[in-house]
Amino acid sequence: MSAPARVLVVDDSPTMRGLISAILSSDPDVDVVGQAGDAMEAREAIKRLNPDVVTLDIEMPNMNGLDFLEKIMTLRPMPVIMVSSLTHRGADATLAALEIGAFDCIGKPAPGEPRPFHDLAEKVKAAARSKYRHGGPVSASTRQPPANINSENAYRVGRKIVAIGSSTGGVEALITVLQGFPVNCPPTVITQHMPPTFTKSFADRLNRLCAPVVEEARDGARLEIGKIYLAPGGERHLQVVNASAPACRLLESAPVNGHRPSVDVLFDSVAELAGRNAVGVILTGMGRDGAAGLLKMRYAGARTIGQDEKSCVVYGMPRVAHELGAVERQLPLGHIGEEVLKMTAARKEGSE
């Protein structure tokens, strides 16, 4: 049996530190080795305790969580899980943290929430097990589309729909893939596991970084060439419906695989709607959400791609998909965008 994950809890609120510590300590595979109220205390605790994982509050006195995270990633890279308020400001800061190199994020619970931080222990254990890598912040200047697909004149879009699923590590992974898409990319639908309110900020950020239009999916929005639709976090699943005029549908129903939105729900709908006129992609993430749906897509004739183990932050979802036989091609993250474009391009004699 492996040793418990050793975690340091950093938050300026004693109440929040106590709540997080109590929830984590209830899991026998997690050991809370210390607490800190600000960056100075946290720096000394990291040196003294050498934790496997740090949970870090975004907003703290003296030095905020983002500035401290940058120092950690520069001086002593390690898995850090950001704890943020579920506000627009908190979402923007958390996205910046994920790009700097944070392992994952979790939202602070609302007053009276029945299961606060219900998945934090699983995230901590996954972080401790991960082969942590930090490649530096993502920016438009450091990730440019390959020259052969840099304009709509160089890429002739076919009739396929692209569906992408991701979770832990997905922010950086999606930026990497989508920055390679041209302005006339195929209609693309994405489910990324994120807390409520975060997906709007993420869609806006992707829209600034990428050539196509990226927006949070709206119920009834028609799928169009040159547009990318990101499932809203938290309350509804994203599906694709209406074969004659494909559109987004936001479905109010129970979580699937513990998630809402669920990648499986999206992939199932694309398999039924588009069949062989689709490409499915499963990226880094904890658990197995999306694996069965990707298999359904492949059985329906779709092309399917999985991110390889070496380039994943967490090789969970892609691993299960690969073991099920759902993955046609397994590729490093940096090659996935170009492969998607090859699979979706119109044939020279006409559209597919």
Side-chain angles (χ1 to χ4, degrees):
M1 184 176 177
S2 60
R6 303 174 71 255
V7 58
L8 172 69
V9 176
V10 183
D11 198 294
D12 68 318
S13 164
T15 301
M16 192 59 65
R17 289 198 305 272
L19 176 61
I20 293 172
S21 297
I23 289 169
L24 291 177
S25 296
S26 68
D27 190 311
D29 294 322
V30 178
D31 181 13
V32 179
V33 296
Q35 299 181 19
D38 61 25
M40 296 298 289
E41 289 182 14
R43 184 178 67 178
E44 295 305 316
I46 289 172
K47 290 179 181 177
R48 185 176 74 256
L49 300 170
N50 192 29
D52 300 317
V53 183
V54 171
T55 70
L56 179 60
D57 187 17
I58 288 279
E59 296 182 4
M60 296 189 301
N62 303 322
M63 180 185 293
N64 66 46
L66 283 181
D67 291 340
F68 185 52
L69 177 67
E70 288 201 59
K71 290 187 177 297
I72 292 175
M73 292 306 148
T74 301
L75 301 174
R76 192 168 180 160
M78 62 190 305
V80 176
I81 297 174
M82 305 306 295
V83 181
S84 172
S85 61
L86 294 177
T87 64
H88 180 75
R89 179 181 173 185
D92 287 345
T94 301
L95 291 171
L98 291 168
E99 293 184 31
I100 290 169
F103 176 83
D104 208 341
C105 65
I106 192 163
K108 288 187 176 181
E113 186 169 323
R115 297 181 61 210
F117 299 123
H118 67 279
D119 58 349
L120 180 55
E122 291 303 318
K123 289 180 185 287
V124 165
K125 289 184 285 186
R129 291 192 302 265
S130 69
K131 292 180 280 189
Y132 182 75
R133 296 171 302 280
H134 169 53
V138 179
S139 69
S141 62
T142 59
R143 298 186 188 276
Q144 294 295 334
N148 63 327
I149 53 89
N150 199 25
S151 73
E152 59 183 317
N153 293 329
Y155 171 75
R156 297 175 63 242
V157 65
R159 297 178 180 174
K160 288 183 171 19
I161 294 170
V162 177
I164 303 175
S166 52
S167 187
T168 304
V171 167
E172 184 170 353
L174 286 168
I175 291 172
T176 300
V177 171
L178 299 178
Q179 278 196 319
F181 278 24
V183 68
N184 63 330
C185 73
T188 301
V189 285
I190 300 170
T191 289
Q192 157 72 33
H193 297 155
M194 268 188 168
T197 75
F198 282 31
T199 43
K200 177 62 167 64
S201 293
F202 186 36
D204 290 344
R205 184 153 186 78
L206 287 172
N207 192 49
R208 293 192 296 270
L209 290 173
C210 303
V213 173
V214 185
E215 59 188 37
E216 193 176 45
R218 294 172 292 103
D219 190 52
R222 292 276 296 271
L223 297 195
E224 299 177 19
I225 290 170
K227 285 195 174 183
I228 298 169
Y229 307 83
L230 181 68
E235 297 180 354
R236 294 181 289 179
H237 298 289
L238 173 61
Q239 294 180 313
V240 177
V241 296
N242 193 356
S244 60
C248 296
R249 179 190 179 197
L250 298 180
L251 175 67
E252 295 184 1
S253 65
V256 174
N257 300 318
H259 297 285
R260 186 172 55 202
S262 162
V263 181
D264 267 331
V265 172
L266 175 63
F267 284 176
D268 285 353
S269 71
V270 174
E272 294 172 7
L273 180 89
R276 66 183 185 88
N277 289 319
V279 173
V281 181
I282 194 161
L283 301 175
T284 175
M286 290 169 50
R288 60 185 303 118
D289 189 33
L294 193 70
L295 182 63
K296 187 171 181 179
M297 287 185 66
R298 191 172 188 189
Y299 281 157
R303 309 293 301 274
T304 61
I305 299 170
Q307 187 176 346
D308 71 358
E309 181 175 7
K310 188 175 181 180
S311 67
C312 280
V313 172
V314 179
Y315 187 57
M317 289 158 50
R319 176 185 62 79
V320 178
H322 181 68
E323 291 173 352
L324 287 178
V327 176
E328 174 190 348
R329 297 209 63 193
Q330 193 171 55
L331 296 170
L333 177 62
H335 295 175
I336 289 175
E338 189 169 1
E339 187 64 23
V340 169
L341 296 178
K342 289 178 182 177
M343 290 179 172
T344 56
R347 295 173 180 170
K348 290 183 180 180
E349 65 271 19
S351 297
E352 291 183 331

